[in-house]
Amino acid sequence: MSAAQEAPTLAETPPGPPLRRNRDFLKLWTGAGISILGTRVGTVAYPLLMVWQNGSTVDAGLVGFAALLPLLLVQLPAGVVVDRWDRRRTMIACDVAGLLAMGSVGLVLLSGRVLLPHLMAAAFVEAAAGIFYRLAERAAVRNVVEPRHLSAALSQNEARGRAAGLLGQPLGSSLFTVSRGLPFVFTAAGHLFALLTLLAIRKDLQSERTAVRKDLRAELAEGFAWLWRQRFLRTAVSLVAGTNILFQVLSLTLVVIVKESGSSPAVIGVIGTVSGVGGVCGALAGSWFGRRFSVSAILRGVFAAWTVLMPMVALSDNPLALGGVFAGLTFAGALMNVAAGVYQVQVTPDRLQGRVSSVAMLLTSGTNSLGPLIAGFLLGAVGTTSTVLGVGVAMLVTTVAALLSPAVRDAAGTPAAGPVDGPPERAAHSPDTEEI
């Protein structure tokens, strides 16, 4: 695929029956949504537990490291598993693993005890299961919706994730205020609900597979090779990788800013609520922007917005002001995720969905586990203001790199479409969506 073919714009989805009549999609969407909400609640509780109970940013960084380490270690094998194994059974196994991991933490904390190694292990297991689940679900979507609904379905998935963030922040901090074990019990219940809805889906979650399985290295190499041939794609994921580390640093910095201001954990919920509204709005606006701008133009615009907004986190500890800044950050991020998410699913062959997604996620998020570690030590050494300003400088460098990149610049404004080799009855549909 040439550079000109790698930056399509989101096309208008042809009229057709609404997705609300697709029961299998609704089951998949709802079950995964509740599971994501539960995971978000648990993620919010990790730093609260470490900072408020243990008073240690280093412990908070260690738990965050354990929760993000699967992004580095599990991504690639997860992609192969999703492409090899039955997607439904893979997702069922993931829900069971998450249920057991978070249920164990909830029970231990309700008894009044907390052990750092146990919390780190449970965070790792739940996060690893989540990677398998997300890859399988993303690959399964195009098998439960009509081709003309793919863009709308993935846009709704993005909005769902943002809404989970909107609700998860205040819900997680509120449950933590009531009892430190409740957020993890809620997370376990979310996995149970997702498991039940998954069992009720009738359609197959993958197309028929006739290709002979290769060895692990060959299959991984195939996913890498396909992505590497996409010039714009490989440049974009490299740039996004750096920004993801910066957001991990900002997340832990926000917790410390709120604590140092003398506020309660519930304030983080207020900030999360305002921020979540921005994310939902960004997801819903994705199609509008996509019809008017190329994916590369959206990427450059989002980076520029982040460059302006990130340093503002250091200017105030007012919850509404911080919420407004994070709302802008998440609006821009959701907007880019819609354009990028649809592109990848649209142009990637069904047999490669798991591997290509895992490679892209590894490249963009594999080093995320370094974020909490970096933040923990930076906050202890130089404080919140210097940490935030350092993040702003790093974002500026990333934005300049995006603006000067020939791959990004050459692809700008050129709508195009890539091939899709979906299920036999869907193979002939015209491309109408895009994702990185």
Side-chain angles (χ1 to χ4, degrees):
M1 184 182 293
S2 66
Q5 291 177 310
E6 294 171 350
T9 55
L10 289 170
E12 191 106 38
T13 302
L19 280 176
R20 64 176 179 271
R21 296 181 186 174
N22 187 329
R23 294 183 179 180
D24 284 330
F25 172 73
L26 291 178
K27 292 171 185 175
L28 182 64
W29 188 90
T30 304
I34 297 300
S35 178
I36 292 171
L37 175 61
T39 298
R40 179 59 178 163
V41 166
T43 301
V44 168
Y46 291 141
L48 296 181
L49 183 64
M50 293 296 99
V51 173
W52 259 266
Q53 177 160 313
N54 292 6
S56 172
T57 58
V58 174
D59 284 355
L62 287 172
V63 176
F65 172 78
L68 293 172
L69 188 58
L71 293 173
L72 180 62
L73 301 182
V74 179
Q75 293 277 19
L76 294 182
V80 174
V81 167
V82 168
D83 285 340
R84 276 187 178 186
W85 295 359
D86 181 85
R87 288 171 185 162
R88 187 194 308 272
R89 293 178 182 176
T90 300
M91 295 169 71
I92 289 173
C94 292
D95 280 324
V96 171
L99 172 61
L100 295 177
M102 291 296 96
S104 70
V105 173
L107 291 176
V108 168
L109 290 178
L110 288 176
S111 69
R113 296 176 295 170
V114 56
L115 298 175
L116 180 60
H118 176 211
L119 195 61
M120 291 178 64
F124 180 91
V125 170
E126 206 260 348
I131 290 174
F132 282 89
Y133 189 96
R134 286 190 297 273
L135 287 173
E137 191 220 357
R138 170 176 287 199
V141 168
R142 64 188 249 176
N143 291 277
V144 297
V145 303
E146 293 298 323
R148 62 179 178 271
H149 290 150
L150 180 59
S151 177
L154 292 177
S155 181
Q156 288 187 28
N157 279 2
E158 177 67 22
R160 175 194 64 190
R162 296 293 172 169
L166 170 63
L167 298 174
Q169 189 80 45
L171 182 58
S173 56
S174 298
L175 290 174
F176 180 84
T177 302
V178 175
S179 173
R180 292 173 181 177
L182 279 182
F184 304 99
V185 173
F186 182 91
T187 304
H191 285 294
L192 177 60
F193 180 86
L195 174 61
L196 296 176
T197 57
L198 185 61
L199 293 173
I201 295 176
R202 296 181 179 180
K203 288 184 179 179
D204 289 334
L205 302 184
Q206 62 198 46
S207 59
E208 184 178 354
R209 300 178 183 179
T210 57
V212 178
R213 290 183 181 179
K214 307 171 185 176
D215 60 65
L216 179 62
R217 286 185 186 177
E219 291 186 78
L220 289 177
E222 189 176 9
F224 269 107
W226 189 93
L227 183 62
W228 183 256
R229 290 195 295 269
Q230 319 306 310
R231 184 167 175 254
F232 170 73
L233 212 57
R234 68 173 184 258
T235 303
V237 296
S238 299
L239 293 170
V240 171
T243 68
N244 283 340
I245 297 178
L246 300 182
F247 274 106
Q248 295 301 324
V249 175
L250 278 183
S251 294
L252 185 54
T253 303
L254 175 63
V255 174
V256 177
I257 289 175
V258 171
K259 184 176 184 293
E260 290 180 346
S261 71
S263 301
S264 73
V267 171
I268 297 178
V270 175
I271 297 173
T273 299
V274 178
S275 175
V277 170
V280 172
C281 292
L284 296 176
S287 294
W288 188 92
F289 278 90
R291 289 193 297 268
R292 292 161 175 79
F293 304 97
S294 68
V295 175
S296 62
I298 291 175
L299 181 139
R300 291 181 297 168
V302 167
F303 277 17
W306 284 347
T307 301
V308 173
L309 291 172
M310 281 184 174
M312 294 184 180
V313 175
L315 299 180
S316 174
D317 59 9
N318 181 277
L320 293 180
L322 288 171
V325 172
F326 275 89
L329 292 170
T330 56
F331 178 94
L335 183 66
M336 185 172 67
N337 283 352
V338 170
V342 181
Y343 181 89
Q344 181 190 321
V345 173
Q346 176 66 39
V347 303
T348 305
D350 188 69
R351 65 184 180 82
L352 292 173
Q353 285 286 337
R355 280 167 287 172
V356 171
S357 292
S358 68
V359 170
M361 290 176 67
L362 175 67
L363 295 176
T364 57
S365 306
T367 55
N368 274 13
S369 56
L370 298 177
L373 288 178
I374 294 171
F377 289 106
L378 277 179
L379 291 168
V382 301
T384 56
T385 300
S386 296
T387 298
V388 173
L389 293 180
V391 166
V393 171
M395 188 65 235
L396 175 61
V397 172
T398 305
T399 300
V400 171
L403 294 174
L404 297 179
S405 168
V408 175
R409 185 179 62 249
D410 294 346
T414 307
V420 176
D421 72 337
E425 70 276 12
R426 302 177 182 180
H429 81 275
S430 60
D432 60 0
T433 51
E434 64 273 14
E435 169 179 42
I436 290 176

